[in-house]
């Protein structure tokens, strides 16, 4: 499914964002509030192709960099 989304037309990706983006955004807000790296991994895994999923990936990278965990970042 992930490979299909990567190659999908912009209109298809927009529909995906509309369908799954709100749930992803809510879960990502919880990640930020709790500073929960494990939850960030889950948001990234489930919703990578939404804007919130991309935000979770960025947040998780910064989280690991701040802890000098360069291999995980």
């Amino acid at each position: 499914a992930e490979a299909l989304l990567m190659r999908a037309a912009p209109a298809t990706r927009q529909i995906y964002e509309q369908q799954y983006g709100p749930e992803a955004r809510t879960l990502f807000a919880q990640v930020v509030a709790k500073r929960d790296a494990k939850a960030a991994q889950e948001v990234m895994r489930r919703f990578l192709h939404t804007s919130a999923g991309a935000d979770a990936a960025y947040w998780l990278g910064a989280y690991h960099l701040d802890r000098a965990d360069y291999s995980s970042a």
Side-chain angles (χ1 to χ4, degrees), residues 9-69:
T12 302
R13 293 181 73 169
Q14 184 177 7
I15 292 168
Y16 185 83
E17 179 71 37
Q18 290 171 346
Q19 178 95 24
Y20 297 104
E23 180 182 0
R25 184 60 54 196
T26 298
L27 293 172
F28 180 62
Q30 294 171 4
V31 163
V32 173
K34 296 177 183 178
R35 299 195 49 79
D36 186 346
K38 201 168 213 175
Q41 288 176 331
E42 183 67 13
V43 173
M44 184 180 75
R45 184 187 68 78
R46 290 179 57 200
F47 302 105
L48 183 59
H49 296 287
T50 65
S51 62
D55 289 346
Y58 181 85
W59 184 92
L60 191 58
Y63 176 90
H64 288 299
L65 282 175
D66 287 347
R67 286 154 183 77
D69 184 0

